[in-house]
């Protein structure tokens, strides 16, 4: 059984559930910190799952072998159990998982937050290799990436802005966990098919993102024929940064304008 944190109830104002999907090294907890209660209080049913091998979700096999196809199966299985198709919200790596879900499932809407771009992880991987060649070399040998993102300085570099209080960086860095080595390869090889996605999309970016560049966020938005929206003084983990409420409010307003 996958871990699913489920809060709130659908209301007349917001009859469609929201399904939040986390990125690499994270789990459902990152949405439960602020977003689930925020949207539940607004009259939504808000759910977040932990992909297999993350949080309290069993992997079913070695975590290092879990693939994007496995993660897509997780999202699909949770979404298909809901009474109506949910709005799906994906962060970072999950941006691609959500896009792949939307290629084959009609949904009311999709939201991409600091999403991996259409070109995949290649750009991010090259930037990581240039900045930390020894990290990348060890990761390639061991298949273990957690040590290179989970210390407070490295977590801040990748996930948080310079404005984030150190106590938050320390707390959240301690909750990160190992990611699948196979997912790293899939992130380089997988290409979403925006031409197959027909539902409305919202693309959000963080101005001080250490993992995804503004250019990459713009490329994602351009693939859907829309303009991205950026939040200043914000790092990659937009749901955990001190300015998280502005992001949540924007999603709420955008969904409300569509009767969702």
């Amino acid at each position: 059984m996958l871990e699913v944190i489920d809060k709130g109830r659908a209301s007349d104002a917001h009859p469609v559930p929201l399904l939040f999907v986390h990125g690499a090294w994270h789990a459902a907890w990152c949405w439960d910190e602020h977003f689930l209660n925020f949207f539940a209080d607004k009259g939504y049913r808000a759910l977040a799952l932990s992909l297999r091998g993350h949080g309290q979700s069993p992997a079913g096999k070695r975590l290092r072998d879990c693939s994007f196809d496995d993660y897509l199966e997780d999202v699909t299985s949770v979404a298909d159990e809901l009474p109506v198709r949910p709005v799906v919200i994906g962060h970072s790596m999950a941006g691609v998982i959500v896009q792949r879900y939307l290629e084959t499932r009609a949904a009311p809407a999709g939201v991409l937050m600091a999403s991996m771009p259409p070109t995949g992880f290649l750009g991010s991987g090259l930037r990581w290799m240039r900045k930390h060649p020894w990290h990348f070399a060890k990761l390639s040998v061991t298949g273990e990436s957690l040590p290179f993102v989970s210390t407070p300085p490295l977590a801040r570099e990748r996930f948080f802005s310079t404005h984030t209080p150190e106590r938050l960086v320390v707390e959240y860095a301690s909750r990160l966990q190992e990611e699948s080595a196979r997912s790293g390869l899939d992130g380089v090889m997988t290409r979403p098919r925006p031409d197959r996605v027909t539902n409305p999309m919202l693309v959000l970016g963080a101005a001080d993102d250490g993992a995804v560049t503004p250019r990459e966020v713009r490329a994602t938005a351009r693939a859907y024929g829309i303009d991205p929206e950026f939040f200043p003084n914000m790092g990659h983990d937009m749901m955990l940064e001190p300015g998280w409420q502005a992001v949540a409010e924007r999603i709420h307003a955008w969904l409300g304008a569509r009767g969702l």
Side-chain angles (χ1 to χ4, degrees), residues 196-241:
R196 297 182 179 178
V197 177
T198 59
N199 55 266
M201 297 292 287
L202 176 65
V203 175
L204 305 177
D208 294 338
D209 196 327
V212 178
T213 67
R215 181 177 181 179
E216 289 169 335
V217 174
R218 293 188 186 97
T220 299
R222 188 166 56 249
Y224 291 96
I226 59 176
D227 293 324
E229 300 181 29
F230 288 93
F231 291 81
N233 302 322
M234 180 165 284
H236 185 67
D237 274 9
M238 302 174 72
M239 75 293 283
L240 296 173
E241 285 277 70

Side-chain angles (χ1 to χ4, degrees), residues 69-83:
D69 285 342
D70 292 324
Y71 295 162
L72 175 59
E73 183 179 295
D74 295 341
V75 173
T76 302
S77 68
V78 173
D80 285 353
E81 290 178 358
L82 298 174

